[in-house]
Amino acid sequence: MSGEEKQFAFDFGGEEPDEQTTKPTASNAKKKTAKRVVRKHAATKSSAAVAPKPKPKAATAEDAISISEINARIKRAVETSLSSVWVAGEITDIARPRSGHLYFTLKDERSQLRGVMWRSVAERLPFDLDDGQSVLCFGDVEVYAARGTVQLVVRKCQPQGMGSLQLAFAQLQAKLEAEGLFTPERKRPLPRLPRRIAIVTSVTGAAIRDFLQATASRHAGVEIIVIPASVQGPGSVEQLVSGIVAAHQLDPLPDVLIVSRGGGSLEDLWSFNDERLVRALAASRIPTVSAVGHEIDVTLSDLVADVRALTPTDAASCVLPDREVLVDVLDALHEAMKRSLFRRVERSRERLQWIESRPIFKNPLELVLNQSRYVDELDQRARDVMWRQWRKRESQLKQSAATVAALSPLSVLARGYSVTQAEDGTVIRSAQQLQSGQTIVSRLDDGEVRSTVTSQ
């Protein structure tokens, strides 16, 4: 607390301040002693007086003090003595109109005081005020003379028991966690052996030097793209977000994107707790690594990134395999491939020997001859079947022809019968159909005979 920022315990009621809530000071002790002396002197004078006091004259409107004058005096007295004070209390009845100002009530167990925080101050507040918060407010006590009300115009505000940045960190963490930005399900694995790595950091800090040294010792054949950005102070968040955007404009895209800086206080690392940077990391199409501060430092960027590295050096270990380990792995794979190929050649050789031992390869023409004999047998079977079918169909045809011939009218004519017809082909079945002079045709077995009817 600075020299100009004095803390006052005040009360506008008729009771005296509680000794437990008012700090005992030398000036307070002197005031109490003076009060006791004044009270004792007054009591002595009262007992010594023998003559009754004269009654006061009736007051007139000219003798009275106006309400405006009273409020003006109170305003001068209060604003003169209660400027630049710290007030402790609990926030209640907070209101947030569209103007951006904040209106609320500060209360303790015995009293309450209206408070206001203008928009210019509220926009710079790193955390959100809410009902029920215990806070320390610094500002000026003002009297609104038109209404006779008192309010505290807050210029600074900080939570009690927790720093403003810590509270802002907790509030934003709870908000983003509710949106699911920190869930393990959305974390992506890093590529096993990346070829291009982009890192957004300060080019003058120790973080980039540590990272490059660790990278060179682990794997020297990787392309490192350094995107410069300020990592603390005004404008750092915008540069970090711009660096992430620039990494996504590279062609081809990097395999891994790292945001990094060295250690520092909570204030130094605060850019990596900014909501804009956290959301930019969450929206990244490239797998992300956050390497901010030391092992004990935890930022919201660490929580949202796909992988959290404890330090910039640890980031190199997370992203790149150790060169010696990689060589050992490649040697092991080489030996495993050799053994696998040897076993495969041996199996192929054994199978080839088994195939060579088959009879078909000892006398390959035997299979052709066997198949030729089988084709001949099939041909003979087909001929026999066709001959039997032909004989059967011939016999059936002769039987059908005999049946048809037996039923034919020509067979009747062959036995000596004839059929008589008129010239128009009508069969004469009765003599009544004939007329004298009519020509008729008699059909015999071997021809036709024309006759003329002479009498009926």
Side-chain angles (χ1 to χ4, degrees):
M1 189 179 298
S2 64
E4 67 171 358
E5 297 170 355
K6 300 173 291 182
Q7 186 166 359
F8 291 84
F10 57 89
D11 184 52
F12 291 100
E15 301 179 1
E16 294 183 0
D18 193 347
E19 294 181 359
Q20 295 180 352
T21 59
T22 306
K23 293 184 178 180
T25 60
S27 60
N28 289 339
K30 290 180 180 180
K31 289 180 181 179
K32 290 182 178 179
T33 303
K35 286 182 180 179
R36 287 196 294 269
V37 172
V38 170
R39 288 175 183 171
K40 183 177 180 181
H41 180 67
T44 303
K45 291 178 64 178
S46 175
S47 61
V50 292
K53 292 182 179 182
K55 293 183 179 181
K57 296 187 294 182
T60 63
E62 289 77 8
D63 298 328
I65 301 176
S66 66
I67 300 298
S68 299
E69 178 62 22
I70 289 291
N71 284 343
R73 292 183 183 183
I74 294 175
K75 180 178 177 68
R76 286 194 297 272
V78 169
E79 293 183 359
T80 301
S81 60
L82 296 178
S83 62
S84 301
V85 296
W86 283 99
V87 179
E90 179 183 328
I91 297 286
T92 59
D93 301 328
I94 189 167
R96 297 179 173 87
R98 298 180 63 181
S99 61
H101 309 314
L102 298 181
Y103 299 94
F104 49 88
T105 298
L106 282 172
K107 71 173 186 178
D108 57 17
E109 65 276 3
R110 297 179 56 191
S111 187
Q112 63 182 20
L113 174 66
R114 293 295 299 170
V116 60
M117 183 181 294
W118 304 127
R119 177 179 178 179
S120 58
V121 178
E123 288 178 342
R124 297 195 304 270
L125 197 66
F127 63 95
D128 294 330
L129 284 179
D130 205 354
D131 289 337
Q133 288 180 347
S134 295
V135 295
L136 288 172
C137 294
F138 176 78
D140 306 315
V141 178
E142 291 185 356
V143 176
Y144 183 37
R147 294 184 180 178
T149 58
V150 181
Q151 66 180 8
L152 177 67
V153 180
V154 179
R155 288 186 276 154
K156 297 179 183 178
C157 184
Q158 67 184 46
Q160 293 192 68
M162 179 185 293
S164 59
L165 292 182
Q166 292 176 320
L167 180 58
F169 180 93
Q171 289 177 339
L172 183 56
Q173 181 181 5
K175 173 185 174 181
L176 298 178
E177 189 169 8
E179 296 181 17
L181 264 64
F182 304 147
T183 56
E185 291 76 13
R186 61 173 302 278
K187 307 288 186 180
R188 295 165 294 186
L190 299 180
R192 181 168 297 180
L193 187 60
R195 297 181 179 275
R196 303 184 81 202
I197 299 174
I199 178 169
V200 182
T201 188
S202 171
V203 295
T204 60
I208 186 62
R209 293 196 300 270
D210 295 343
F211 177 78
L212 293 177
Q213 290 175 0
T215 301
S217 65
R218 297 183 66 84
H219 198 78
V222 179
E223 181 183 2
I224 306 296
I225 303 171
V226 180
I227 302 176
S230 175
V231 294
Q232 71 180 69
S236 58
V237 176
E238 290 78 4
Q239 292 189 33
L240 289 168
V241 173
S242 299
I244 295 175
V245 174
H248 285 78
Q249 295 174 348
L250 297 174
D251 187 19
L253 283 177
D255 300 314
V256 180
L257 174 61
I258 302 174
V259 290
S260 178
R261 67 150 290 154
S265 64
L266 180 60
E267 291 78 6
D268 295 336
L269 305 180
W270 191 249
S271 297
F272 294 85
N273 292 319
D274 191 279
E275 183 175 359
R276 293 168 292 175
L277 178 60
V278 174
R279 292 193 180 278
L281 287 172
S284 173
R285 302 194 309 273
I286 308 170
T288 56
V289 176
S290 176
V292 179
H294 301 301
E295 183 175 357
I296 60 174
D297 301 321
V298 179
T299 65
L300 296 180
S301 297
D302 295 331
L303 300 180
V304 76
D306 295 314
V307 173
R308 182 210 172 191
L310 303 180
T311 61
T313 302
D314 184 53
S317 303
C318 294
V319 173
L320 294 171
D322 186 79
R323 181 186 303 169
E324 295 181 358
V325 174
L326 186 60
V327 170
D328 293 341
V329 170
L330 292 176
D331 290 341
L333 290 175
H334 179 258
E335 292 298 324
M337 290 178 61
K338 286 172 59 177
R339 291 192 297 270
S340 177
L341 288 173
F342 179 76
R343 288 194 297 267
R344 187 169 182 178
V345 169
E346 286 297 318
R347 287 195 299 268
S348 299
R349 181 182 292 111
E350 292 173 358
R351 180 172 177 79
L352 182 59
Q353 292 174 352
W354 177 80
I355 291 173
E356 290 178 348
S357 65
R358 301 293 294 172
I360 184 61
F361 290 99
K362 291 183 179 180
N363 188 7
L365 292 178
E366 183 179 355
L367 178 61
V368 177
L369 295 175
N370 291 337
Q371 294 298 321
S372 178
R373 284 193 293 269
Y374 179 66
V375 171
D376 292 341
E377 291 177 1
L378 292 178
D379 180 67
Q380 187 59 42
R381 290 178 187 176
R383 291 175 181 273
D384 293 343
V385 170
M386 292 174 63
W387 176 252
R388 286 195 298 271
Q389 289 294 325
W390 183 80
R391 294 290 298 274
K392 182 178 179 180
R393 293 291 184 266
E394 184 182 25
S395 175
Q396 291 175 351
L397 182 59
K398 288 181 179 180
Q399 290 178 1
S400 299
T403 302
V404 171
L407 298 177
S408 176
L410 296 178
S411 300
V412 178
L413 297 178
R415 293 198 298 271
Y417 295 94
S418 66
V419 178
T420 302
Q421 297 174 314
E423 287 183 325
D424 58 2
T426 302
V427 177
I428 304 299
R429 302 179 182 276
S430 172
Q432 299 298 326
Q433 295 179 256
L434 299 175
Q435 296 177 0
S436 296
Q438 182 180 356
T439 301
I440 59 176
V441 179
S442 298
R443 181 166 182 161
L444 305 176
D445 181 40
D446 57 352
E448 295 179 352
V449 175
R450 288 181 175 273
S451 306
T452 299
V453 179
T454 58
S455 64
Q456 185 178 359

